[in-house]
C-alpha cells in the first residue's frame, strides 16, 4: 500500500506498528532534515516535492493472526472459537435485556460443556483405554512394553506381585497427568495470550479533538512490503532493519493526513524483519505549510488478497475548517461511547441500550479483562473437576459394594458431594454477569479467580489420594463408565442448543430483519456445529488410540459405544452435504447462463468472445455462493442435530455399537448400519490425520500459517466473551491501536481523517471509528471497498452490524462511500438506508476493466474479484471526492491549491 520498499516505523512494537515511507518521515517538524539541511517545506525530506498529496502510513498487524509456528496449535481450539462466534450472532432485540442475558447464558453454558468434553475425551484415552483397559490386560501390556510398570498381577501369581503402581486406582492416578496437563496448558495459553493481545486499554472517553482534516486507511491482510527506513515521530528518525518483501500482500490500514506544526508522537522501537504478509495501514496528509507531515493508516487481513483501509486528509488551515457533523452528546439520541448503562452480562453485551446503533461504540467493549479472567478460572476448575470425577468415580463405585470398608465409603460420598458442590459453583460463576461495558471496567475478582481453580485442584489431589488407597481384590474389567458421561454431555448440549434456538427466535420476532442469516437462528446453528466439531474431534482421538492399542479389538473393550454411534452418523451427513453441493452447482450453472446474456448486453458493439464471456459470467455466479452460506449452515446444523439425537438414543437404548444393535434387524438395515459404522470410522481417522498434517504443515510453513490466519481474521475478531480458551481476539489490540493513533493525531494537529478499509480491514475501520469520541468521529470520512460489513457481518451479526448500526455509523462520521464488484465473493454493498445524504454505495465497479483488447488494455484485463481495488480509477476519484468534502472552504485558504474537478466527482456538502 505504501508503494515503496523503504519504510519507517513511526510508532508501535514488534507485534503491531505504524509505518510510513522513508521520504515522508525523515524530517523534523521545523522542516530541518536529519543532517541539518533545510527542506523545501516544513516536515518534508530534502528533495520531497511540497504540495503533492497526503502522507501515508501503514499499520502492520500480521503477527496478531499469523506470527510464529505456535499459531498452528490454535487449530486445536477451533470448537472453542466457533462457539465464541455464536455468542455474538444473536438477533438485535431492543428493550429485551433479560432475554439477551438468557441468550448469553445459554451460549456460555454450551461453551462450558465443550471444555468438559475436551478434557473428558483425554480422560477417556488416558484413563480408560490406556490405564484401565490396556494396562489391566497382560496381553496388551506385552504389546506395549512402556506400560510394564502398570502391569497387574499375572494369573496365578500371589496378590501384590504386580508392583505398587499396578493397583487400578494408582494406575488411574498416573493416567490423570495428561488431562491435568492439558487443562493447565489451556489456562496458561489463555492467560499468556490475553497479556500479549488483549491487555491494551482502549482510548479513554473524550480523548482526541481538533478541527483540521486527514485521511486514514485500513487494509485486511496484515502484510507489509519490504521495509527499511528511519523512524519518525518527534522530529528525528532512526533506521529500522530491512524487512523482507512479502510475496502475496497482507492486511493494511492507511491514514492520510495534512501537514501540521504539531510534534508527532515519540518514535517507537525499530521494526523487526518481516518474512510474512503483514497488515499495513497508511495515512496520507495534504500540505498546509504550518508543520510536519502527518500519518495515514491502512490495514489488510492476513492472506493473499488483502483488505486495505486508508485515510486521506485535505489541507488544514487555521480557524477555517469546513463544518463537520458531530455525533450528538449523551442523552440526545445518538450512539456514543458510554451510551447506555448495560453490562456485558452472561451474553457478553447486555441489553440493546443502543437500539439504533451498535454496542461496539461502548468504551469497555474491547477490554474484557475481568470477564475473561472469570471465565478462565471457571473453565480451568471445570477441567480439573472432570479429571477428579473420572478418577474418583470407579473407586466410589467399588467402595459402595456390599461389605466394602465403611470409612472409604463415607469418604467417597463426601468427596463426591464436594465435587458436585464445586461444580455447581463453577456453573454459577459462568452464569453471572461478567463486567460492565458502558465504562472501562478495570476491576478483577481476584479472590474468585484464584480460589475457584485452586479449590478444584485441591479436590483433584484428594481424589487421586482417595483412588490410590489400597483396595484388595479390586481389578479393572470392561470399560470405565464413559457412556453415561459422554451421553450426559451430549444431551446437555442438545438441550442447550434447542433452548438457544427458542430464545433467538423470540429475539428475532421482536425486530425482524429480512437480511439476517437464518431468520436470527445463525447463533444456535453455529453453536450446534461447534458441539458437533468437538464431538468428532474427541471421538476421532479415542478411536485412533483404541486402534493403535488393539487394532483387532480382541483384547480391549474399546471406547464408549456412543462415540462409535457418533462416528456412524458422519456418512449420512456427508451424503446430505454432497446432495446440497450438487444442488448449488446446478443453480450456479443456471445463474452463469443468465449472466452470460447480461455480460453481452453490457458490452454492445464489441466483438463477442464466448470464452471471455464465460469467464466473467462464471466469476459472477461463483461470487454469489457466499450468499448461500445460510442455506449450507441450516442444512448442516439440522442434519447434525437430527442424526446426533438418533445416535444418542441408539447408544443409550441398546448399549451396543450400530452393527451390533442391527444384528437382528432386516438385512438392509443391517447393511446400512455396518456400512455407516465402517465408513464413519475411516472418515474419522482420515479427518484426524488431515487435522494433524495441516497443523504440522502450519507449524513449519509460514504460508500455511497465513492461510489459517485468514480463518482467524473473522473467528478471532470478536472478544472472548463465551469461551476463554478460544484463540485470542486481535481486535482488542488493533482497535485501540488505531483509535489511539487517530485521536492523538487529531488532538495534536486539529486534523480530520478519511478512513478507508478493504475486506476485514473495513470491519476494523468501522470498529475503530465507533470507538472514537463523538467530536472526533464526526470529522472522519470512511471509504470501504470489498467490504463484508453488510454481506457477512450484517447478516451473521445483526445486533452489532445490522442496518440500524450501519445507519448510525453513517450518521456519526462525516461521509462514507463503499465500492464493490459483482465478481467479489466477499465484499458487497452496505445498503445503508437513505436519509437525504449522498448514497453510501457506489454502483458496482466493472470487472474486468475492459471486455476485449483496447488501446488502454492491449492485453486481456484480469478478473480481479476481491483484490486490487485501488487500481480502478474510481477508487482515486472517490477518495479525492471524500477529501474535497472534508476540505475547508477555499476562501479560508487562499494559498492552498484546490483539488481539480474529476469526472464523476460530486462536491456535496458534508454529511
Amino acid at each position: 500500500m505504501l508503494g515503496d520498499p523503504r519504510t519507517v516505523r513511526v510508532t508501535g512494537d514488534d507485534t503491531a506498528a505504524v509505518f510510513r515511507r522513508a521520504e515522508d518521515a525523515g524530517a523534523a517538524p521545523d522542516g530541518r532534515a536529519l543532517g541539518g539541511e533545510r527542506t523545501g517545506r516544513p516536515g518534508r525530506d530534502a528533495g520531497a516535492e511540497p504540495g503533492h498529496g497526503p502522507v501515508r502510513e501503514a499499520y502492520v498487524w500480521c503477527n496478531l493472526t499469523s506470527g510464529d509456528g505456535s499459531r498452528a496449535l490454535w487449530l486445536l481450539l477451533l470448537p472453542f472459537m466457533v462457539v465464541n462466534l455464536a455468542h455474538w450472532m444473536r438477533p438485535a432485540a431492543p428493550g429485551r435485556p433479560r432475554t439477551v442475558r438468557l441468550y448469553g447464558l445459554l451460549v456460555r453454558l454450551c461453551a462450558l460443556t465443550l471444555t468438559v468434553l475436551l478434557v473428558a475425551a483425554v480422560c477417556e484415552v488416558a484413563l480408560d483405554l490406556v490405564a484401565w483397559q490396556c494396562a489391566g490386560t497382560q496381553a496388551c501390556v506385552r504389546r506395549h512394553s512402556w506400560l510394564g510398570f502398570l502391569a497387574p498381577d499375572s494369573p496365578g501369581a500371589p496378590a501384590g506381585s504386580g508392583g505398587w503402581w499396578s493397583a487400578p486406582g494408582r494406575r488411574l492416578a498416573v493416567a490423570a497427568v495428561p488431562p491435568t496437563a492439558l487443562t493447565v496448558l489451556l489456562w496458561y495459553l489463555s492467560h499468556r495470550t490475553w497479556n500479549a493481545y488483549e491487555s491494551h486499554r482502549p482510548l479513554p472517553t473524550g480523548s482526541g479533538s481538533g478541527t483540521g482534516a486527514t485521511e486514514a486507511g485500513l487494509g485486511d491482510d496484515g502484510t507489509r512490503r519490504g521495509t527499511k527506513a528511519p523512524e519518525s515521530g518527534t522530529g528525528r528518525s532512526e533506521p529500522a532493519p530491512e524487512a523482507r518483501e512479502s510475496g502475496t500482500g497482507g492486511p493494511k490500514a492507511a491514514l492520510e493526513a495534512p501537514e501540521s506544526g504539531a510534534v508527532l508522537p515519540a518514535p517507537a522501537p525499530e521494526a523487526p524483519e518481516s518474512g510474512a504478509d503483514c497488515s499495513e495501514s497508511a495515512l496520507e496528509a495534504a500540505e498546509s505549510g504550518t508543520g510536519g507531515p502527518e500519518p495515514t493508516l491502512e490495514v489488510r487481513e492476513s492472506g493473499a488478497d488483502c483488505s486495505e483501509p486508508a485515510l486521506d486528509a485535505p489541507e488544514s488551515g487555521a480557524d477555517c475548517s469546513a463544518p463537520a457533523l458531530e455525533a450528538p452528546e449523551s442523552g440526545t439520541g445518538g450512539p456514543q461511547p458510554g451510551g447506555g448503562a448495560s453490562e456485558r452480562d452472561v451474553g457478553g453485551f447486555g441489553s440493546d441500550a443502543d437500539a439504533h446503533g451498535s454496542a461496539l461504540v461502548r468504551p469497555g467493549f474491547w477490554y474484557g479483562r475481568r470477564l475473561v479472567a472469570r471465565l478462565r478460572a471457571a473453565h480451568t476448575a471445570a477441567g480439573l473437576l472432570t479429571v477428579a470425577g473420572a478418577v474418583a468415580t470407579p473407586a466410589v463405585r467399588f467402595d459402595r459394594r456390599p461389605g466394602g470398608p465403611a470409612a472409604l465409603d463415607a469418604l467417597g460420598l463426601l468427596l463426591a458431594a464436594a465435587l458436585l458442590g464445586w461444580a455447581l459453583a463453577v456453573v454459577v460463576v459462568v452464569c453471572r454477569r461478567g463486567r460492565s461495558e458502558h465504562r472501562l471496567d478495570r476491576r478483577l475478582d481476584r479472590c474468585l479467580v484464584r480460589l475457584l481453580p485452586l479449590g478444584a485442584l485441591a479436590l483433584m489431589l484428594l481424589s487421586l489420594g482417595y483412588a490410590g488407597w489400597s483396595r484388595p481384590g479390586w481389578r479393572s474389567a470392561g470399560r470405565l463408565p464413559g457412556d453415561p458421561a459422554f451421553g450426559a454431555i451430549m444431551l446437555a448440549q442438545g438441550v442447550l442448543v434447542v433452548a438457544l434456538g427458542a430464545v433467538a427466535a423470540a429475539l428475532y420476532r421482536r425486530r425482524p430483519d429480512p437480511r439476517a442469516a437464518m431468520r436470527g437462528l445463525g447463533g444456535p446453528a453455529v453453536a450446534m456445529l461447534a458441539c458437533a466439531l468437538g464431538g468428532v474431534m474427541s471421538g476421532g482421538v479415542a478411536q485412533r488410540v483404541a486402534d493403535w492399542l488393539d487394532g483387532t479389538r480382541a483384547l480391549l473393550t474399546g471406547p464408549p459405544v456412543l462415540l462409535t454411534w457418533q462416528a456412524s452418523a458422519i456418512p449420512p451427513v456427508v451424503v446430505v452435504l454432497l446432495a446440497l453441493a450438487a444442488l448449488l452447482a446446478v443453480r450456479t450453472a443456471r445463474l452463469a447462463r443468465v449472466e452470460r446474456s447480461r455480460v453481452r448486453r453490457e458490452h454492445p458493439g464489441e466483438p463477442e468472445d464466448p470464452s471471455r464471456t464465460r469467464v466473467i459470467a462464471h466469476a459472477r455466479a461463483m461470487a454469489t455462493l457466499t450468499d448461500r452460506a445460510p442455506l449450507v449452515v441450516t442444512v448442516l446444523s439440522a442434519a447434525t442435530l437430527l442424526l446426533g439425537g438418533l445416535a444418542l438414543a441408539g447408544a443409550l437404548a441398546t448399549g451396543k455399537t450400530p452393527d451390533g444393535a442391527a444384528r437382528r434387524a432386516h438385512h438392509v438395515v443391517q447393511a446400512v448400519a455396518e456400512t455407516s459404522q465402517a465408513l464413519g470410522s475411516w472418515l474419522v481417522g482420515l479427518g484426524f490425520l488431515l487435522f494433524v498434517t495441516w497443523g504440522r504443515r502450519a507449524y513449519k510453513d509460514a504460508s500455511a500459517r497465513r492461510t489459517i490466519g485468514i480463518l482467524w481474521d473473522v473467528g478471532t475478531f470478536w472478544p472472548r466473551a463465551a469461551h476463554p480458551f478460544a484463540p485470542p481476539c486481535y481486535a482488542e489490540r488493533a482497535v485501540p491501536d488505531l483509535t489511539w493513533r487517530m485521536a492523538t493525531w487529531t488532538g495534536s494537529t486539529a486534523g480530520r481523517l478519511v478512513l478507508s478499509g478493504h475486506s476485514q480491514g473495513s470491519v476494523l475501520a468501522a470498529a475503530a471509528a465507533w470507538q472514537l469520541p463523538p467530536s472526533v468521529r464526526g470529522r472522519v470520512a470512511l471509504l470501504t471497498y470489498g467490504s463484508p460489513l453488510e454481506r457477512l457481518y450484517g447478516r451473521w451479526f445483526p445486533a452489532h452490524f445490522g442496518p440500524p448500526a450501519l445507519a448510525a455509523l453513517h450518521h456519526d462520521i462525516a461521509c462514507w462511500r463503499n465500492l464493490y464488484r459483482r465478481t467479489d465473493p466477499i465484499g458487497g454493498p452496505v445498503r445503508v438506508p437513505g436519509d437525504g445524504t449522498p448514497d453510501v454505495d457506489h454502483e458496482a465497479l466493472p470487472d474486468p476493466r475492459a471486455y476485449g483488447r483496447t488501446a488502454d488494455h492491449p492485453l486481456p484485463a484480469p478478473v480481479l474479484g476481491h483484490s486490487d481495488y485501488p487500481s480502478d480509477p474510481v477508487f482515486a476519484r472517490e477518495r479525492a471526492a471524500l477529501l474535497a468534502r472534508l476540505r475547508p472552504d477555499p476562501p479560508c485558504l487562499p494559498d492552498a491549491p484546490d483539488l481539480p474537478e474529476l469526472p464523476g466527482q460530486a462536491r456535496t456538502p458534508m454529511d
Side-chain angles (χ1 to χ4, degrees), residues 833-910:
D835 58 356
T837 59
D839 291 337
V840 172
D841 289 317
H842 189 281
E843 62 181 9
L845 303 184
D847 189 29
R849 293 273 316 285
Y851 177 77
R853 299 174 185 264
T854 64
D856 293 333
H857 300 276
L859 298 180
V863 178
L864 298 175
H866 187 58
S867 64
D868 207 10
Y869 275 84
S871 66
D872 197 302
V874 174
F875 179 86
R877 289 201 299 266
E878 290 298 330
R879 186 171 65 177
L882 290 175
L883 289 174
R885 292 165 69 179
L886 288 176
R887 177 184 298 278
D889 295 331
C892 298
L893 286 176
D895 296 332
D898 197 6
L899 288 176
E901 190 75 33
L902 298 175
Q905 176 176 328
R907 294 190 177 275
T908 56
M910 190 174 304

Side-chain angles (χ1 to χ4, degrees), residues 221-227 243-250 252 274-278 280 300 303-304 306 706:
D221 99 33
T223 305
R224 67 182 170 94
R225 310 292 178 181
T227 70
R244 294 192 301 265
E245 208 172 296
S246 144
T248 57
K252 299 182 178 179
S274 167
D277 290 346
C278 304
E280 299 184 0
R300 298 194 299 176
C306 312
R706 288 194 294 272

Side-chain angles (χ1 to χ4, degrees), residues 632-660:
V632 176
V633 174
T634 300
V635 173
L636 181 59
S637 58
T640 301
L641 180 62
L642 176 61
L643 293 173
L646 292 177
L648 177 62
L652 296 182
T654 64
K656 302 178 182 179
T657 58
D659 59 349

Side-chain angles (χ1 to χ4, degrees), residues 452-466:
L452 199 62
L454 289 178
L457 179 61
L459 289 176
M460 190 195 71
L461 295 177
L462 288 176
S463 299
L464 298 182
Y466 168 74

Side-chain angles (χ1 to χ4, degrees), residues 137-155:
T137 306
Q138 285 288 346
C140 187
V141 171
R142 285 194 295 269
R143 295 181 58 179
H144 303 280
S145 58
W146 53 277
L147 292 175
F149 74 103
L150 300 177
D153 302 336
S154 301

Side-chain angles (χ1 to χ4, degrees), residues 154-358:
S154 301
S161 62
W164 193 83
W165 291 105
S166 64
R170 293 165 189 166
R171 296 203 308 265
L172 294 179
V174 173
V177 172
T180 303
L182 173 65
T183 304
V184 174
L185 176 63
L186 291 175
W187 172 88
Y188 170 76
L189 291 177
S190 177
H191 186 271
R192 179 176 176 269
T193 54
W194 190 92
N195 286 330
Y197 291 83
E198 301 156 297
S199 60
H200 298 266
R201 294 178 181 176
L203 185 73
T205 304
S207 297
S209 60
T211 57
T214 314
E215 177 195 25
L218 303 171
D220 75 337
D221 99 33
T223 305
R224 67 182 170 94
R225 310 292 178 181
T227 70
K228 181 178 183 186
E231 295 185 302
S232 167
T234 58
R236 58 187 177 86
S237 58
E238 301 174 2
E242 184 171 353
R244 294 192 301 265
E245 208 172 296
S246 144
T248 57
K252 299 182 178 179
L255 290 165
E256 305 183 0
E259 296 185 352
S260 150
V263 177
L264 293 177
E270 295 181 353
E273 291 190 357
S274 167
D277 290 346
C278 304
S279 350
E280 299 184 0
S281 116
L283 286 161
E284 302 182 1
E287 299 184 7
S288 75
T290 59
E294 296 300 332
T296 48
L297 191 57
E298 303 189 356
V299 180
R300 298 194 299 176
E301 69 186 1
S302 309
D305 293 329
C306 312
S307 28
E308 308 165 359
L311 286 170
D312 290 339
E315 302 177 19
S316 66
D319 305 330
C320 58
S321 56
L325 180 61
E326 298 187 0
E329 297 298 328
S330 176
T332 60
Q336 58 209 314
S342 61
E343 296 183 354
R344 175 175 289 178
D345 55 13
V346 293
F349 31 73
S351 65
D352 265 347
D354 311 298
H356 55 295
S358 172

Side-chain angles (χ1 to χ4, degrees), residues 586-625:
V586 172
R587 289 186 177 181
T588 303
R590 292 176 180 173
L591 181 59
R593 286 196 294 270
V594 174
E595 288 293 338
R596 285 201 290 269
S597 60
R598 183 176 299 172
V599 170
R600 298 188 195 101
R601 291 194 302 269
E602 291 174 355
H603 302 280
E606 296 190 44
E608 182 180 354
D609 183 348
S611 176
R612 180 73 163 171
T613 301
R614 282 195 299 270
V615 169
I616 299 173
H618 178 74
R620 292 182 179 180
M622 292 298 292
T624 62
L625 288 177

